[in-house]
């Protein structure tokens, strides 16, 4: 039986969830005033333990960590996962949630347990801004596709063709499964970094990831964007947004619009 540690964290801040999601937590359970994160003992190296402590201490968040036996991770996930509902435009839900009336796009996602419940704010903003982008007949690249939901929504909005990539095997598998659940067949999914995807230029690039990855791959994203193409980014803390905006403006991208939500930023650029 695998040995796990649980982190009891005295916060429900989405920023805390977002920062912790860079580590290999199996699941996050959300309470009224706390988060409990579960991570395998073999993933909790001394370096990871120190990094988690530094993050939580810097945010002045109280926490405790203790060993736990294996858990029913599916039950934990189902108890904590909540749908993402963006106006009357789109609902993203698990199959155990009911469909809402008066929603234009009702999408079903069944993420694997490792995705936890973080990044609702960034997902919400990406979807919110996607409503205002013309996807009809446009080529799309979803960089760091996770569950594949942004690529799936792009397909529902008329995009074709669509490429999606993620470095995590679980994300690669999850994107394929979720595309099938939502009856989408025009997404080509790759496992690896950006070099795993054959080089082509796209009309719209989507990247809900994090600042460090966006800055690392700025030139790759720039080179893969058509002239007059759009680049939609999130996973960026508000305090880091200026750095990301400057990096892309230096490559002939215009900053069109930004949204803020729960300490996160979502930025829309146009090339040229």
């Amino acid at each position: 039986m695998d040995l796990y540690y649980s982190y009891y964290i005295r916060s429900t801040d989405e920023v805390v969830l977002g920062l912790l999601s860079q580590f290999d937590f199996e699941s996050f359970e959300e309470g009224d005033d706390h988060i409990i994160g579960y991570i395998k003992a073999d993933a909790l190296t001394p370096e990871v333990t120190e990094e988690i402590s530094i993050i939580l201490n810097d945010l002045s968040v109280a926490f405790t960590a203790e060993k736990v036996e294996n858990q029913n991770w599916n039950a934990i996930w189902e108890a904590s996962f909540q749908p993402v509902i963006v106006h009357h435009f789109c609902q993203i839900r698990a199959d155990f949630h009911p469909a809402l009336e008066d929603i234009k796009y009702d999408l079903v996602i069944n993420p694997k347990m490792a995705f936890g419940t973080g990044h609702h704010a960034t997902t919400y903003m990406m979807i919110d801004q996607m409503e205002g982008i013309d996807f009809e007949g446009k080529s799309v690249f979803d960089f760091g596709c996770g569950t594949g939901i942004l690529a799936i929504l792009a397909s529902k909005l008329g995009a074709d063709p669509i490429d999606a990539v993620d470095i995590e095997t679980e994300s690669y598998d999850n994107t394929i499964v979720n595309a099938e659940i939502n009856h989408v067949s025009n997404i080509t999914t790759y496992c690896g970094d950006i070099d795993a995807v054959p080089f082509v230029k796209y009309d719209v690039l989507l990247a809900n990831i994090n600042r460090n990855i966006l800055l690392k791959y700025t030139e790759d994203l720039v080179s893969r964007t058509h002239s007059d193409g759009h680049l939609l980014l999130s996973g960026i803390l508000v305090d880091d947004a200026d750095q990301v905006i400057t990096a892309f403006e230096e490559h002939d991208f215009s900053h069109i619009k930004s949204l803020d939500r729960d300490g996160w930023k979502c930025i829309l650029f146009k090339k040229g």
Side-chain angles (χ1 to χ4, degrees):
M1 181 177 292
D2 290 323
L3 177 64
Y4 285 80
Y5 278 81
S6 68
Y7 273 77
Y8 188 95
I9 301 157
R10 283 288 185 180
S11 173
T12 57
D13 193 334
E14 288 284 348
V15 172
V16 175
L17 275 174
L19 292 172
L20 292 179
S21 69
Q22 66 185 295
F23 305 104
D24 292 330
F25 282 90
E26 296 288 323
S27 180
F28 290 108
E29 180 181 354
E30 297 181 59
D32 291 338
D33 62 354
H34 67 273
I35 303 163
I36 303 176
Y38 299 91
I39 187 169
K40 285 185 178 180
D42 58 9
L44 196 62
T45 64
E47 293 78 13
V48 169
T49 301
E50 182 179 6
E51 289 180 28
I52 292 172
S53 296
I54 290 171
I55 287 171
L56 295 175
N57 288 329
D58 284 349
L59 294 171
S60 299
V61 173
F63 70 96
T64 58
E66 62 180 10
K67 292 180 182 179
V68 295
E69 293 184 355
N70 203 355
Q71 303 280 325
N72 182 343
W73 301 114
N74 280 322
I76 290 172
W77 176 79
E78 289 189 12
S80 59
F81 180 79
Q82 295 298 319
V84 177
I85 302 168
V86 182
H87 313 304
H88 295 289
F89 173 58
C90 182
Q91 174 182 239
I92 295 175
R93 62 182 177 88
D95 57 9
F96 51 81
H97 291 126
L100 297 179
E101 297 181 0
D102 301 324
I103 292 287
K104 189 171 183 180
Y105 296 101
D106 175 48
L107 306 183
V108 175
I109 176 176
N110 287 322
K112 296 189 176 183
M113 294 171 290
F115 288 97
T117 60
H119 291 299
H120 288 177
T122 60
T123 304
Y124 183 101
M125 291 187 294
M126 291 288 288
I127 295 168
D128 196 355
Q129 296 230 50
M130 285 175 71
E131 184 177 11
I133 298 172
D134 178 14
F135 283 91
E136 188 65 39
K138 302 296 178 61
S139 58
V140 169
F141 180 35
D142 185 357
F143 178 50
C145 55
T147 61
I149 202 63
L150 299 180
I152 292 166
L153 178 58
S155 179
K156 298 289 186 181
L157 291 168
D160 189 56
I162 302 167
D163 289 334
V165 68
D166 202 290
I167 199 168
E168 298 291 344
T169 302
E170 293 86 354
S171 297
Y172 167 80
D173 293 336
N174 212 200
T175 296
I176 293 172
V177 169
N178 285 323
E180 292 174 353
I181 290 171
N182 288 279
H183 310 292
V184 168
S185 59
N186 65 336
I187 300 173
T188 302
T189 309
Y190 299 87
C191 186
D193 63 18
I194 200 166
D195 292 330
V197 184
F199 180 86
V200 296
K201 290 182 179 289
Y202 299 91
D203 298 308
V204 183
L205 286 81
L206 309 169
N208 184 15
I209 195 160
N210 66 61
R211 179 203 63 181
N212 291 338
I213 298 298
L214 293 173
L215 294 176
K216 178 180 178 180
Y217 290 101
T218 296
E219 292 187 3
D220 296 276
L221 295 171
V222 168
S223 66
R224 289 174 181 257
T225 308
H226 273 305
S227 179
D228 294 329
H230 287 86
L231 176 64
L232 183 61
L233 309 177
S234 195
I236 307 159
L237 292 171
V238 169
D239 290 344
D240 296 332
D242 288 345
Q243 186 179 5
V244 175
I245 291 170
T246 298
F248 284 93
E249 286 183 335
E250 288 176 351
H251 289 84
D252 196 31
F253 277 76
S254 299
H255 176 203
I256 303 301
K257 182 181 179 182
S258 290
L259 297 178
D260 292 7
R261 189 177 178 92
D262 296 337
W264 296 95
K265 180 83 76 172
C266 180
I267 307 167
L268 177 63
F269 295 96
K270 185 175 182 181
K271 190 175 184 180

